[in-house]
Amino acid sequence: MNVKYALGALISIPFLPLMYWQGKKIRASVPMLPEAEGIQGIITLEKEKTLNIITIGESTIAGIGVETHEEGFTGTFAKALAEKSATNIRWKVYARSGYTAKRVKEKLIPKISEQSLDLIVIGLGGNDAFTLNNPKKWRLDVQELIDSIREKFEDTPIVFTNMPPIKEFPAFTSLIKFTVGNLVEILGENLNFVVANNENVYYNAEIITIAEWVKRLNIQAAKATDFFSDGVHPSKFTYQVWARDLSNFIWEKEAIRTRLDTT
């Protein structure tokens, strides 16, 4: 994994000035969208049991691209999981646009007010790739994040979402898609390594591509831009597809399903 990173870094060095210039143009052209409103809610199915879940992470979890969390990733995920588990689900979002794994650990984990949780979902990786975090530092940051959560919640299942599909971003140039897109996939491989060494922690390692999604989920979409709100962040449609797909991934994990069924 480190060899792939080293080779990629060597190849990318001559292109750094061009990437910097392209990055400035992209930032200037992509609209500054606000984070979604309504950071908490409850899905009520008129059942006796209520599960408590939180989502943690960067801009996608913060809901950039939709008006409310209810129509974005977290609300849709909670609804899908409520239907699968036949329970009420109380949900809350702890996320900030621009945050890396290290920043999430330092700034967001201390703010978690819940005393008991049944499931924790984490969405990270994009900002660590954009800031060119190296795999070794990324592994350390993720492990420290997991450790900080375990200090509060010893046995709550933790699920990391797929890494962001940077190679699919319409707003990015081919050069940035190649360099940062490859890096985020390398970080994903390293995340898989960390997760494998932690009990009751899971990661959906599937690399998201629009073509694969369209085929596997039988999605009817006119063009790739339908999946993005601003060329970088998901559209409402994509958030909802992604959330339901992750709920399926989680429900296929027997250990998590048993935990949710017996809570």
Side-chain angles (χ1 to χ4, degrees):
M1 289 186 288
N2 287 332
V3 171
K4 290 172 64 176
Y5 172 75
L7 288 174
L10 286 173
I11 293 171
S12 301
I13 287 173
F15 299 101
L16 289 178
L18 177 58
M19 288 175 59
Y20 175 77
W21 178 77
Q22 290 180 346
K24 289 189 68 175
K25 286 193 67 177
I26 292 169
R27 282 193 293 272
S29 64
V30 173
M32 294 290 290
L33 299 177
E35 296 178 356
E37 297 182 354
I39 63 168
Q40 58 188 326
I42 185 167
I43 307 298
T44 303
L45 301 182
E46 298 183 357
K47 303 292 183 179
E48 292 185 5
K49 185 170 67 174
T50 298
L51 301 175
N52 294 298
I53 71 172
I54 64 172
T55 57
I56 305 170
E58 56 187 6
S59 59
T60 50
I61 304 301
I64 298 292
V66 290
E67 293 185 2
T68 69
H69 284 291
E70 186 176 355
E71 64 183 0
F73 175 84
T74 303
T76 304
F77 172 78
K79 182 178 180 181
L81 197 61
E83 292 170 352
K84 291 180 182 298
S85 60
T87 61
N88 308 317
I89 290 190
R90 182 179 292 107
W91 56 267
K92 189 172 181 180
V93 178
Y94 292 90
R96 286 299 301 273
S97 180
Y99 271 22
T100 60
K102 186 174 187 294
R103 291 281 286 175
V104 166
K105 181 252 182 180
E106 293 175 344
K107 300 296 184 179
L108 296 183
I109 301 306
K111 294 182 179 180
I112 297 175
S113 59
E114 286 74 13
Q115 299 299 311
S116 176
L117 289 170
D118 299 297
L119 180 66
I120 298 168
V121 175
I122 302 175
L124 286 169
N127 291 303
D128 283 277
F130 298 148
T131 56
L132 305 181
N133 198 359
N134 68 71
K136 183 177 180 180
K137 180 63 166 54
W138 162 252
R139 291 197 305 271
L140 177 62
D141 291 343
V142 171
Q143 185 60 61
E144 289 183 349
L145 172 60
I146 293 171
D147 291 343
S148 68
I149 292 173
R150 284 291 177 241
E151 291 178 4
K152 290 174 172 281
F153 309 101
E154 293 184 5
D155 61 351
T156 301
I158 299 172
V159 178
F160 285 85
T161 70
N162 320 66
M163 297 292 276
I166 290 174
K167 290 181 178 179
E168 302 282 338
F169 290 1
F172 283 10
T173 63
S174 297
L175 177 60
I176 292 180
K177 286 180 181 180
F178 175 79
T179 53
V180 184
N182 282 338
L183 175 56
V184 83
E185 290 179 5
I186 292 171
L187 296 184
E189 293 171 2
N190 280 262
L191 175 57
N192 210 17
F193 176 82
V194 175
V195 165
N197 288 280
N198 285 270
E199 187 175 354
N200 211 16
V201 181
Y202 307 86
Y203 164 50
N204 188 350
E206 177 190 7
I207 296 175
I208 295 174
T209 68
I210 290 174
E212 190 279 334
W213 259 12
V214 168
K215 180 179 179 181
R216 178 167 62 85
L217 303 174
N218 193 28
I219 295 172
Q220 302 299 319
K223 50 188 180 301
T225 51
D226 292 342
F227 289 86
F228 298 90
S229 58
D230 58 2
V232 176
H233 296 97
S235 63
K236 174 181 175 180
F237 170 73
T238 298
Y239 274 124
Q240 295 183 353
V241 171
W242 181 33
R244 293 189 185 100
D245 195 45
L246 187 71
S247 73
N248 291 335
F249 168 82
I250 287 174
W251 201 245
E252 289 171 359
K253 302 298 179 184
E254 184 176 353
I256 301 179
R257 187 170 66 250
T258 300
R259 164 67 183 258
L260 298 180
D261 278 343
T262 58
T263 298

